[in-house]
Amino acid sequence: MEGKMRVGLTPKIRTIEYEVRDIPKPKPNEVLVKILHVGVCGSDLHFYEFGHHGTAEAKFPMVLGHESAGKVVEAGSAVKGLKVGDKIALEPGIPCGKCEFCRGGRYNLCPDVYFMACPGIEGSFAEYMTWPEEMCFKLPDKMDTIEGAMIEPLNVGLHTARMSEAKPGKTATILGSGCIGLCTLLSLKASGVAEIYVVDVIEKRLNKAKALGATAVINAKQTDGIAKALELTGGRGTDIVVDSAGTLQTAQQTVALLKRGGIITLVGMSNEPLIPLDLATTLEKEGRVQTLFRYCNLYPAGIDLVSSGFIPVKEIVTDYYNFNNLQEGLNFNLDNKTDVVKMVIEFDD
Ligand SMILES: [Zn+2]
Ligand SMILES: [Zn+2]
């Protein structure tokens, strides 16, 4: 496809500049995608606000954005399963396919993954991009590209539920009800976990958690969150405890909330390299503590769960901004963190 497109570059913090480029040509194994929706992730905002995320330093100018969906406008000569007009979700990481982790089925651990919007790699705040067919997943007719973009964070929730051995009869507590906490809530529910407590300090997020089916929500600003959660579980805690907030305090709180024999999963990426955990208490409970990194092999499952109505992922989204106002949107998100639960950028079709 001939023509020009705009790319939303971040040349320095809190800034977007549009660069006009030629629309790229797909290689034989790639499709050219007209991007239609991109979710704004905490990692994008970290690079955008501070110039780093965890230990990763930004390499400005950067193109941020990795939670993306759009439609195929051109297919490379070797593309078999997708055609022009298909709506797709883009899995943002292209693993090497050769290392022991890729071959072992845990490609999220691939050290050579090419992942959108990591320093040195361009993301999807662009009108068009090319992407390999095997990392593009066709959306059924009844799903839109907002839901398609939300499959990416949803996968973190599904991976959390899977790693936490979620199943009917288990109980759970989630610390933090931002996008990932809410995706975890929906994933645990879809896995059969009926009793789920959600703790946060932001009322708007808690209201969302309640609306999405949390058994009870606890505002830890107004009350002792641990005491309240324990009271609600008859002092026993829950089988599954997830920290999606990624703070020193919430990571440490997981131990007190854990039922004997349960599993703690740390999902939130902490800026603290050292988190002292009460392992003596964890040991007495025969508790398991685990971390997780991104997800793997979950795009098809996420799409099925959303299209079948099991997971109303779009209800997490609270704010939409057009790509034409990208800087305004991202800055609004930064300046209204307690009010924006999840922002999605929409592109003109
Ligand atoms: Zn993300
Ligand atoms: Zn690999």
Side-chain angles (χ1 to χ4, degrees), residues 132-263:
E133 178 190 14
E134 73 262 29
M135 288 295 141
C136 296
F137 295 85
K138 189 170 161 30
L139 302 174
D141 287 342
K142 58 180 162 182
M143 259 176 87
D144 61 31
T145 49
I146 303 168
E147 293 166 318
M150 288 297 289
I151 296 296
E152 204 276 341
L154 175 62
N155 278 353
V156 179
L158 290 172
H159 192 42
T160 304
R162 193 166 61 175
M163 297 266 288
S164 303
E165 299 177 9
K167 56 186 170 195
K170 298 255 182 175
T171 56
T173 309
I174 302 170
L175 298 174
S177 62
C179 180
I180 295 299
L182 294 169
C183 283
T184 301
L185 167 67
L186 293 173
S187 300
L188 290 172
K189 271 184 62 183
S191 307
V193 178
E195 195 180 323
I196 306 173
Y197 304 95
V198 177
V199 187
D200 203 301
V201 291
I202 297 174
E203 199 60 27
K204 183 150 181 192
R205 294 180 177 192
L206 290 168
N207 290 339
K208 230 357 159 191
K210 188 75 189 149
L212 291 173
T215 309
V217 296
I218 300 162
N219 189 330
K221 218 175 206 167
Q222 295 161 2
T223 176
D224 180 338
I226 297 184
K228 183 70 189 167
L230 287 175
E231 181 196 317
L232 289 168
T233 58
R236 292 183 307 165
T238 54
D239 302 296
I240 295 167
V241 181
V242 176
D243 174 30
S244 74
T247 67
L248 184 66
Q249 195 191 12
T250 51
Q252 291 184 318
Q253 286 172 338
T254 57
V255 175
L257 296 166
L258 188 68
K259 189 166 154 184
R260 299 171 76 83
I263 301 176

Side-chain angles (χ1 to χ4, degrees), residues 95-99 102 110-111:
C96 82
K98 298 183 184 108
C99 71
C102 284
C110 176

